[in-house]
Amino acid sequence: MKILKFGLAGLALTGALITSASAGGIAGAPAPFDKGGVKIALVSYLSQGDYFEAYEAGVARQAKALGVDLRIFQGKQDAAQQREQIEQAISLGVQGIIVSHGQPEALKDVVQKALDAGIKVVAKDIDLGNPKVPLISQSDHDIARQVLDQALKDNGTSFPAGYVFVAGFRPLELRGEIWGEVKKANPGILEKARWGAVDTNTATSVATQTSAALRANPDIKVVFAPYDEFARGVKLGANEAGIADKIKIYSADISTSDIQDIREKGSPWVATSATNPAVVGEVSLRALALSIAGQDPGKLIEVKPFLITQADLNKNDIKTIQDLDVKLPGFGHSDQATAPWLPSTQTQ
């Protein structure tokens, strides 16, 4: 698989990236995959961080298995740029676009423009409110329930807590709904402070905020940080404040570097609920391929999460995502958005 990187001179979009696959059509596949030459774009709002890098890798891996020409536009948390990237994908003549995250109101019209041009669109973790756009997601309610149930198991039903949150992101909004339910059901949980940031260096920004929040509220015992970059920032901030041994962090998402952080001696990061982000990427590409082939992938495609605790990682000596794939049945694959003609990535 050939990868070409273009700067402003190439596609006039910083971070744009083209991945070409030379494979021909797939025998027995529906049109247009029977003849090959299908072009697909992934347009992301967020690209930095282990989760998003793994997600993009999963999209690319499934694209290679399917033999499509994939263009990846890497996001920089800029709604205007994401709009421009979708416009660029339209002008390149793609047959399908994956829109990953973003601000719905900034994208609805340009996504409709793509649909009007006959381009199929699927959305990852952004609800565009368009019945023609399937939504691919982790089961965010389940993610929050799993890890907060563990927090209750570990800490009881009464404790002072901190909460890391940024509005405007569908996964965080959904996980926040469960946080609200848990607090309502357990009035002994006192949210002492709320903070958060999503920017070009999220973990560092959250670390600075965390240090200040924990110094101002030294009684906080539990922090719900439902995004791994948040959790990484909280861990850094707790270390900076010198109170990492006084709190426990409960998060969402997982990567190899997250596993290393969780298993670090004395780490306050004790549990997370997650899907394999690369698998979610594969599901996203397959859902789009089904749409392009005229087959219905469903309106909402949710990938099942798994609870992963510090104790389980240590007990099973899990050091990498690959270890999780082997030792946590079901983590390394999903049967969502599949069809007999769609090739598996397992043989790639």
Side-chain angles (χ1 to χ4, degrees), residues 49 74 82 89 123 141 156 181 183 194 224 258 282 287 302 324:
Q74 296 182 318
Q82 191 178 25
H141 281 163
E181 290 179 10
K183 287 191 299 176
R194 180 180 294 200
F224 180 42
D258 292 343
E282 293 174 1
E302 288 190 318
L324 271 178

Side-chain angles (χ1 to χ4, degrees), residues 194-217:
R194 180 180 294 200
W195 64 95
V198 174
D199 55 29
T200 56
N201 204 339
T202 295
T204 300
S205 297
V206 170
T208 300
Q209 295 173 336
T210 298
S211 182
L214 294 180
R215 286 191 176 104
N217 301 276

